[in-house]
Amino acid sequence: MDCSYFDAGVCRSCTLMGVPYGEQLAGKDRSARELLAPFGDAMWLPPVASAEAGYRNKAKMVVGGTLKRPTIGILDERGRGVDLSECGICAPGIRAALPVLAEFVTRARLAPYDVPARRGELKFVLVTLSPDDELMIRFVLRDESAVARIRRELGWLLGTLPNARVVSANIQPEHKAVVEGDREIVLTPESSLVMRVGGVGLRLRPQSFFQTNTAVAEQLYGQVSAWVDEVSPASVWDLYCGVGGFALHCAAPRRRVVGVETSAEAVKSARATAAAAGLPQLAFHAQDATAFAIRAKTTPELVIVNPPRRGIGSELSGWLEGSGIPHVVYSSCNPKSLATDLARMPSYRIRTGRVLDMFPQTGHLEVAVLLERV
């Protein structure tokens, strides 16, 4: 993949840009296997490749520039806006929407937030594209004063982007490196975007986490559900479940599945999907995963964990080590934190594993392993 932004030196976020994709994939597979080799003589499956470009279903774009000439992209080292509206790793549907959103910024008079001067009102535009080419658009604002102007021009936006299903305003008043705040104001009748993955229509609400690469996420859910079916547990916990991707794909008759996630919005999404799919054997709880496990009076036959980059940590690792649970599936976006957690769980060994390239052109990767208690 070639990128004019990378070649011009205006954006270096994709650190592997220019490296042949086969080399990228082989290098990620090799590094994960070497790092995790001390934790079992695993059978490693071939790595899952991604499309080299256009794979991102979500764009987190900083709004800079001026009211008349806004930029949608990143900020340079001086805090000035750099436009990346043609970013090649974003899905084509997102790239098509970004110039429209730039025009909307001007029409609605949403002054871009000037970070060095600490003035302005629009900080970010967050755009998500579903497999059905429908959009969720979120405007991250400094305060609520601009919401009325967004409402006033919303008809123009929906007319120009008829595939926009969800539009919202997120309020983030603080001057710090945090993308979004707690308050979300949904401005459309629809409040969730349907992400059809592997035959499951996951309902994604604002502030809910979803994997950024839909095609590889489908491979990930399919691989994990195959491992779970192979082990055939009667009960499963999906910790850090997000919108319930693993839980919903692992649902089966006479199998009790419980998902746990701190985000109340994500739990609402998961419950809505389970209800629409007619899966009463699934339950979802908006709780801290570690606290839920420690306080539970019973344990399942299998636990799935899909934590953030920091991993599951010493407390949950220690609980799993002493739990007696026969199998754990660990999906990680950071093999180093996975290795740290596995070192705290010596009773488990990797039975099989797989690298899934969720983030081409970057050094990041997803790795999933099936752990067996020995």
Side-chain angles (χ1 to χ4, degrees):
M1 173 185 169
D2 295 320
C3 175
S4 60
Y5 298 124
F6 185 88
D7 293 342
V10 298
C11 177
R12 292 302 177 101
S13 299
C14 294
T15 55
L16 298 183
M17 188 66 67
V19 177
Y21 183 63
E23 292 183 23
Q24 293 184 33
L25 186 62
K28 292 179 182 184
D29 186 52
R30 181 173 59 253
S31 65
R33 294 188 188 204
E34 291 174 353
L35 180 64
L36 301 175
F39 306 105
D41 187 17
M43 180 189 74
W44 284 90
L45 298 171
V48 173
S50 168
E52 294 185 45
Y55 65 83
R56 281 193 68 95
N57 60 31
K58 183 173 183 178
K60 297 181 180 180
M61 295 299 203
V62 181
V63 181
T66 64
L67 191 58
K68 291 184 177 181
R69 299 186 65 181
T71 60
I72 296 182
I74 60 174
L75 299 179
D76 65 15
E77 66 280 357
R78 296 173 60 184
R80 298 172 302 184
V82 176
D83 193 82
L84 299 179
S85 56
E86 293 296 324
C87 176
I89 65 172
C90 291
I94 292 178
R95 295 201 303 272
L98 294 180
V100 176
L101 294 174
E103 185 176 351
F104 183 80
V105 169
T106 303
R107 288 182 65 96
R109 300 194 61 78
L110 303 174
Y113 185 62
D114 186 325
V115 174
R118 300 195 179 195
R119 64 171 177 261
E121 49 195 353
L122 178 59
K123 296 183 172 183
F124 298 91
V125 172
L126 312 179
V127 186
T128 303
L129 183 74
S130 79
D132 297 325
D133 288 326
E134 295 183 334
L135 294 168
M136 177 188 291
I137 301 166
R138 302 171 62 209
F139 298 97
V140 181
L141 304 166
R142 192 178 185 184
D143 57 47
E144 294 185 37
S145 63
V147 174
R149 276 171 278 142
I150 295 176
R151 290 187 190 274
R152 185 189 68 211
E153 299 292 339
L154 188 58
W156 178 88
L157 180 61
L158 297 178
T160 309
L161 291 175
N163 59 332
R165 289 290 171 266
V166 183
V167 179
S168 70
N170 178 273
I171 311 303
Q172 204 295 82
E174 299 184 67
H175 181 83
K176 60 181 182 181
V178 176
V179 173
E180 59 190 82
D182 295 330
R183 179 160 166 70
E184 196 87 23
I185 304 169
V186 178
L187 305 172
T188 48
E190 293 291 335
S191 60
S192 61
L193 186 70
V194 177
M195 307 291 288
R196 302 186 193 281
V197 183
V200 178
L202 298 167
R203 282 160 170 75
L204 184 66
R205 293 170 63 90
Q207 301 191 41
S208 297
F209 170 78
F210 187 77
Q211 302 283 1
T212 59
N213 188 323
T214 306
V216 178
E218 183 169 348
Q219 295 286 318
L220 175 62
Y221 293 148
Q223 181 62 76
V224 169
S225 65
W227 285 341
V228 172
D229 287 343
E230 179 184 339
V231 173
S232 192
S235 55
V236 174
W237 286 356
D238 178 9
L239 304 183
Y240 310 92
C241 71
V243 296
F246 289 119
L248 288 152
H249 281 84
C250 293
R254 296 179 296 278
R255 178 181 294 160
R256 177 68 173 168
V257 182
V258 176
V260 182
E261 166 64 43
T262 57
S263 168
E265 286 296 298
V267 168
K268 287 180 184 178
S269 301
R271 287 172 176 166
T273 304
L279 297 171
Q281 71 271 35
L282 270 66
F284 294 94
H285 303 284
Q287 295 184 35
D288 175 77
T290 301
F292 174 87
I294 290 173
R295 294 170 187 167
K297 295 181 180 179
T298 60
T299 57
E301 294 180 7
L302 184 144
V303 170
I304 301 169
V305 293
N306 181 32
R309 289 189 60 79
R310 65 179 179 273
I312 64 175
S314 59
E315 194 171 10
L316 185 54
S317 296
W319 181 87
L320 283 168
E321 173 64 18
S323 68
I325 294 170
H327 294 95
V328 174
V329 175
Y330 195 135
S331 179
S332 171
C333 61
N334 184 358
K336 291 182 179 179
S337 63
L338 169 59
T340 300
D341 288 334
L342 291 180
R344 302 183 181 117
M345 301 159 56
S347 295
Y348 290 100
R349 307 299 285 171
I350 300 177
R351 175 165 147 181
T352 185
R354 193 167 205 178
V355 166
L356 302 100
D357 192 12
M358 201 78 72
F359 316 99
Q361 316 306 334
T362 80
H364 300 297
L365 61 98
E366 190 84 13
V367 59
V369 292
L370 172 62
L371 306 176
E372 189 168 54
R373 183 176 287 273
V374 295

